[in-house]
Amino acid sequence: MALTFDSPLVDAVGGPSAKTLAAELDLHSVADLLQHYPRKYLRTGDASSESTLTEGDHLTFLAEVASSAWHPSRGGHGRARGRCVATLRLQHGTIDAVFWNQPWMATQLKTGTRALFTGVVGTFRGRWQLNSPTAEVLTMDAAPSDAPKQKGLSFTSMSAFADRLMPIYPATAKVSSGSIRRCVELTLEMLAPIADPLPADQLARLGVVDLDTAFRTKHQPKDAVQWRRADERLKLQEALNMQLALSVDRYENALLPAIARPLQPGGLLAELDASLPFELTAGQRAAGELIAGELAREHPMHRLLQGDVGSGKTLVALRAMLQVAAGGGQSALLAPTEVLAHQHARSIGALLAPYGEPGTLGAHPDAVKVVVISSGMPAARRKQAMLDAASGAASIVIGTHAILESKVTFADLGLVVIDEQHRFGVEQRDALRRKGRDGTAPHTLVMTATPIPRTIAMTAFGDLETITMTDLPPGRSPIATTAIPAGQKPGWLERAWERVREEVAAGHQAYVVCPRIGLDDTDADDETGDGPPPEDDAEAGSGAPKRVKAAVVEVAQRLQEGPLAGLRLAVLHGRLPSEEKDDLMRRFGAGEIDVLVSTTVIEVGVDVPNATLMIVLDADLFGLATLHQLRGRVGRGSAAGVCLLVTPMPQSSRPYERLQVLEQSTNGFEIAERDLELRREGDILGVAQSGSTSQLRLLSLRDDAETIAVARELCDAIVAEDPHLERHPMLRSLLASLDQQRTVDYLLKG
């Protein structure tokens, strides 16, 4: 029976083997097995004669065991101590393979056993020797059902290695690399040719091998050229899997109807521009002109506006919202937290305050009403805000996830602005898009102050066209960042608290940020956001006591009773009632609080120009992007900002080295690229990651930008020429599979 790429693995290797592979490696189909790629390849070396051996050579060769024996160490106690010496027969001469403290090797390598040995050639007492090599026993007649159980090699002929490389697979204690290799061999023997979703002329134009050749040579390459060419095609396929659905989305979105909101001469927007106490930056002007032009079209805008911390994105968004309001439409601004939603309402309200509110005495003819909708609001206020949105009385509706609810409706939603897109999935964006009037789609502007590497933008935000603002408003002060190894230099931390007192004495304010709230004994209230690379967790060693993360409630009490006694401290975190959070931020902004001890709820959007100092405790537990966002809360006025990153980790540790990246750069785009190097790509993608991107095996979002760009251009060209993929049945089938996966992912998210 011929196998297909989608066949269940049981058809290839039998029930027992399929069960073992599923349990140990989560492999269930032929596709799963063939995408369990080798981690490296070995080539057999020349060990036919003692005369061909050279000390220091790293060799892989097949040999027969002439004899083997276990030699226990004298005085050994507890587990077996000693060495197993297996003498290997070459065509001319012998070489010893020595295995330390492994008595079972004497049984495994019995006389007459043939195995593949890998190790470094050396000498001992005049004899050639492999010290602590690896050994895989050659099994000649294993049945398919025994493949994962057997310890031997997959190949049934000693000469099989003569003209090709041997793949070494990621394995487990119960399933060896050789067992996996045997399963792959059996599967490839029965596998029908894999159809390629790309036409032959496209493959030729791109200069890549077809998919069937790629899979077979990835697992059975004759040389490095073959597996590298296989990698090129397989990486391209992974990129195509990501980009195809995005290309279709872009094409379909461009065809949706939208209500044009052309820029009106004069009016409130022109007066606002004239009243600003500063000049718009070149980036703000360019972004504003591009957005204004797209709002005037009868097809919906889909834009990602990215800029570094403090680049003035909110003002760009407000100008777009006023353009829509002048055309009779409404705008919805979606923020990830209540703190940020109310901060947006305050800052936008302050800019619009001189023009009054519609219907009030002396209000500007084009005055707009701004309302906030969040789950933590009092019921009466929330009900009134919802009525204002539904009736059209409110031109700008600012809110959290609460405005996504079906009971929140709009009279004429013309623009959706989403702040900090990395906090929301595509589903939330689509939920707002569906709230347009009479079947029209609102324009969409997504903003992020976390600069996104190009490959991430093409992947997680591939249905959006990107606008990048790289300049900062004039007068913005620089931020000096210093990492403090508190465990090694406790005096530095004491000095940090002194700096807080000095800043307050000078009339300024400070933040202290902690990773945990501390309302109970669990870590359920952990608010570290993005985290450090997973390997950092082992930095302290497995025997180290469990680390207690700094908690807002406990730190605030300790500071109030100790180094910051006498200062006006307040605590802010996500579990506080909405009214209390809003009041705290208002009081902090008014200068009524000296030091705000907070979690990362102040990470984005919070704008208090008088705050000049931030201390982040346990800073190594945060990702670089989050730390860059946090420090952007200081230095927003005329006084310079200072950010102190406190960690218990020593200066020689990798976590401390990560923090030094922030000492060396204030450029968010550079930091984003560095963050991508240091962390897993899935972490960077966050909730924007789709099912296809979570299946990346060879493609690197960091290293393969060119491949992703090629895939995007290729998919765009194909979809533009053949929107329904009628002439590309394989791609149409692939798209259906991807859509099904995306649906499953959405349902699993609840």
Side-chain angles (χ1 to χ4, degrees):
M1 177 183 66
L3 298 175
T4 68
F5 198 58
D6 297 320
S7 294
L9 206 47
V10 65
D11 292 348
V13 299
S17 297
K19 184 177 180 180
T20 303
L21 291 170
E24 289 295 309
L25 295 166
D26 196 28
L27 305 179
H28 304 276
S29 66
V30 168
D32 291 340
L33 178 62
L34 295 186
Q35 291 177 94
H36 186 74
Y37 297 124
R39 59 183 177 84
K40 66 177 181 179
Y41 300 91
L42 297 178
R43 179 178 291 283
T44 55
D46 182 8
S48 59
S49 171
E50 289 187 21
S51 62
T52 63
L53 300 177
T54 302
E55 193 162 0
D57 277 359
H58 192 284
L59 285 183
T60 296
F61 61 94
L62 287 160
E64 182 177 306
V65 178
S67 64
S68 64
W70 168 249
H71 303 279
S73 298
R74 294 180 181 178
H77 299 286
R79 65 191 184 105
R81 298 283 181 179
R83 69 189 191 282
C84 170
V85 179
T87 299
L88 311 181
R89 183 179 291 115
L90 308 178
Q91 290 184 15
H92 302 285
T94 61
I95 185 173
D96 293 336
V98 180
F99 303 87
W100 294 94
N101 305 321
Q102 301 175 57
W104 59 88
M105 292 302 295
T107 303
Q108 186 173 334
L109 298 176
K110 295 178 181 178
T111 300
T113 298
R114 287 178 293 179
L116 187 79
F117 296 88
T118 300
V120 179
V121 176
T123 58
F124 180 71
R125 293 182 178 177
R127 291 184 57 81
W128 292 106
Q129 182 185 86
L130 297 176
N131 193 5
S132 300
T134 61
E136 289 189 70
V137 175
L138 180 68
T139 302
M140 299 291 288
D141 54 359
S145 61
D146 295 328
K149 300 177 183 178
Q150 72 173 51
K151 301 297 184 182
L153 300 174
S154 61
F155 300 111
T156 57
S157 169
M158 291 281 283
S159 61
F161 295 112
D163 62 349
R164 68 182 182 191
L165 302 175
M166 185 186 73
I168 303 298
Y169 291 90
T172 71
K174 294 184 179 179
V175 182
S176 70
S177 173
S179 303
I180 298 167
R181 196 181 310 118
R182 172 65 177 162
C183 288
V184 172
E185 288 278 318
L186 294 168
T187 300
L188 290 177
E189 287 175 6
M190 296 184 283
L191 182 66
I194 301 171
D196 200 305
L198 291 180
D201 61 333
Q202 290 282 14
L203 295 175
R205 184 180 67 81
L206 294 169
V208 295
V209 299
D210 63 86
L211 205 53
D212 184 72
T213 300
F215 274 110
R216 294 180 189 275
T217 54
K218 178 64 179 174
H219 291 282
Q220 298 177 339
K222 290 186 176 182
D223 51 39
V225 172
Q226 280 197 342
W227 68 254
R228 286 180 181 135
R229 293 211 68 197
D231 277 359
E232 288 177 11
R233 179 64 187 91
L234 296 171
K235 284 182 179 183
L236 177 62
Q237 189 59 43
E238 290 184 3
L240 288 170
N241 292 348
M242 291 190 301
Q243 295 300 321
L244 181 61
L246 294 173
S247 290
V248 172
D249 285 347
R250 281 193 296 274
Y251 181 86
E252 293 179 346
N253 287 337
L255 298 179
L256 291 173
I259 298 175
R261 315 282 180 174
L263 183 64
Q264 305 291 335
L268 182 59
L269 176 55
E271 291 191 30
L272 174 67
D273 285 346
S275 69
L276 292 174
F278 51 82
E279 290 288 329
L280 295 176
T281 67
Q284 287 175 315
R285 286 195 300 272
E289 290 172 4
L290 184 59
I291 291 169
E294 295 198 343
L295 290 176
R297 291 166 28 188
E298 294 184 347
H299 295 290
M301 171 184 73
H302 295 93
R303 281 284 176 184
L304 171 67
L305 175 62
Q306 66 168 338
D308 210 341
V309 177
S311 58
K313 297 176 296 298
T314 303
L315 181 56
V316 172
L318 174 59
R319 296 179 75 251
M321 290 189 282
L322 291 179
Q323 178 176 334
V324 170
Q330 297 169 283
S331 297
L333 171 55
L334 179 61
T337 66
E338 286 185 313
V339 169
L340 183 53
H342 287 283
Q343 171 73 37
H344 277 315
R346 277 191 297 272
S347 59
I348 289 174
L351 286 170
L352 299 180
Y355 309 103
E357 189 170 304
T360 61
L361 186 64
H364 191 282
D366 297 329
V368 298
K369 184 172 186 176
V370 180
V371 299
V372 178
I373 298 177
S374 69
S375 57
M377 292 173 61
R381 280 182 54 195
R382 185 180 179 189
K383 182 178 180 181
Q384 184 58 52
M386 290 171 61
L387 287 173
D388 289 338
S391 67
S395 296
I396 298 176
V397 179
I398 302 172
T400 58
H401 287 78
I403 63 175
L404 299 172
E405 297 173 5
S406 58
K407 57 186 177 183
V408 177
T409 59
F410 295 83
D412 184 7
L413 183 60
L415 172 64
V416 171
V417 179
I418 300 180
D419 198 10
E420 291 309 314
Q421 166 65 26
H422 69 286
R423 302 292 187 89
F424 300 103
V426 176
E427 310 89 57
Q428 286 94 338
R429 199 163 76 218
D430 288 342
L432 275 175
R433 285 176 178 172
R434 289 192 292 271
K435 293 178 182 283
R437 189 188 81 189
D438 300 332
T440 61
H443 301 281
T444 302
L445 179 65
V446 172
M447 301 192 300
T448 178
T450 304
I452 302 166
R454 177 168 170 256
T455 50
I456 300 292
M458 285 192 295
T459 303
F461 310 102
D463 59 330
L464 302 169
E465 298 298 329
T466 303
I467 312 171
T468 300
M469 300 195 309
T470 57
D471 45 8
L472 297 178
R476 188 58 58 90
S477 302
I479 303 171
T481 304
T482 303
I484 296 179
Q488 286 181 317
K489 300 183 182 294
W492 288 18
L493 182 56
E494 294 174 9
R495 174 65 185 129
W497 301 128
E498 291 176 7
R499 281 298 307 273
V500 174
R501 302 190 74 93
E502 291 168 3
E503 290 297 314
V504 172
H508 301 304
Q509 295 160 276
Y511 298 97
V512 176
V513 180
C514 305
R516 198 163 60 90
I517 300 174
L519 294 176
D520 49 43
D521 293 331
T522 72
D523 279 339
D525 51 359
D526 193 314
E527 295 195 7
T528 50
D530 58 352
E535 62 269 18
D536 287 354
D537 297 340
E539 196 74 43
S542 58
K546 181 175 174 59
R547 177 172 171 179
V548 179
K549 302 173 185 176
V552 166
V553 176
E554 298 155 7
V555 167
Q557 181 178 353
R558 189 167 68 247
L559 293 176
Q560 188 74 79
E561 297 172 353
L564 302 186
L567 301 186
R568 297 171 298 175
L569 269 68
V571 166
L572 177 67
H573 55 74
R575 292 192 185 181
L576 292 175
S578 176
E579 294 284 299
E580 186 174 348
K581 284 186 287 189
D582 192 33
D583 182 61
L584 279 169
M585 286 309 305
R586 181 194 60 76
R587 289 170 53 210
F588 188 63
E592 298 171 12
I593 297 170
D594 297 322
V595 181
L596 191 64
V597 185
S598 172
T599 59
T600 56
V601 293
I602 53 94
E603 175 188 350
V604 290
V606 173
D607 187 7
V608 180
N610 194 46
T612 55
L613 176 63
M614 173 177 287
I615 297 177
V616 183
L617 300 178
D618 288 323
D620 58 288
L621 299 179
F622 298 88
L624 295 183
T626 290
L627 291 173
H628 181 59
Q629 286 284 347
L630 285 168
R631 70 175 174 182
R633 300 312 104 207
V634 297
R636 301 180 75 86
S638 58
V642 175
C643 180
L644 304 177
L645 306 175
V646 179
T647 173
M649 306 305 289
Q651 288 173 296
S652 60
S653 66
R654 185 158 42 187
Y656 187 86
E657 291 177 4
R658 288 177 56 248
L659 297 181
Q660 289 181 305
V661 172
L662 292 159
E663 290 184 327
Q664 298 158 4
S665 176
T666 57
N667 185 310
F669 292 90
E670 292 177 5
I671 292 168
E673 293 288 352
R674 186 74 177 122
D675 212 16
L676 181 56
E677 293 177 16
L678 292 169
R679 296 170 56 208
R680 292 175 298 185
E681 291 162 345
D683 291 336
I684 300 287
L685 286 169
V687 293
Q689 176 174 310
S690 69
S692 60
T693 56
S694 65
Q695 299 301 313
L696 298 184
R697 292 173 171 85
L698 294 175
L699 189 74
S700 166
L701 299 182
R702 185 187 72 193
D703 301 328
D704 296 316
E706 184 176 343
T707 299
I708 296 172
V710 167
R712 175 171 174 147
E713 293 171 6
L714 180 61
C715 289
D716 282 350
I718 290 174
V719 171
E721 180 187 341
D722 184 14
H724 303 293
L725 302 177
E726 294 173 349
R727 298 188 297 280
H728 297 80
M730 287 294 298
L731 287 176
R732 189 170 68 248
S733 175
L734 174 61
L735 180 64
S737 175
L738 293 172
D739 284 342
Q740 182 181 25
Q741 178 63 47
R742 289 200 292 182
T743 301
V744 170
D745 288 345
Y746 175 75
L747 293 174
L748 289 177
K749 288 178 182 178

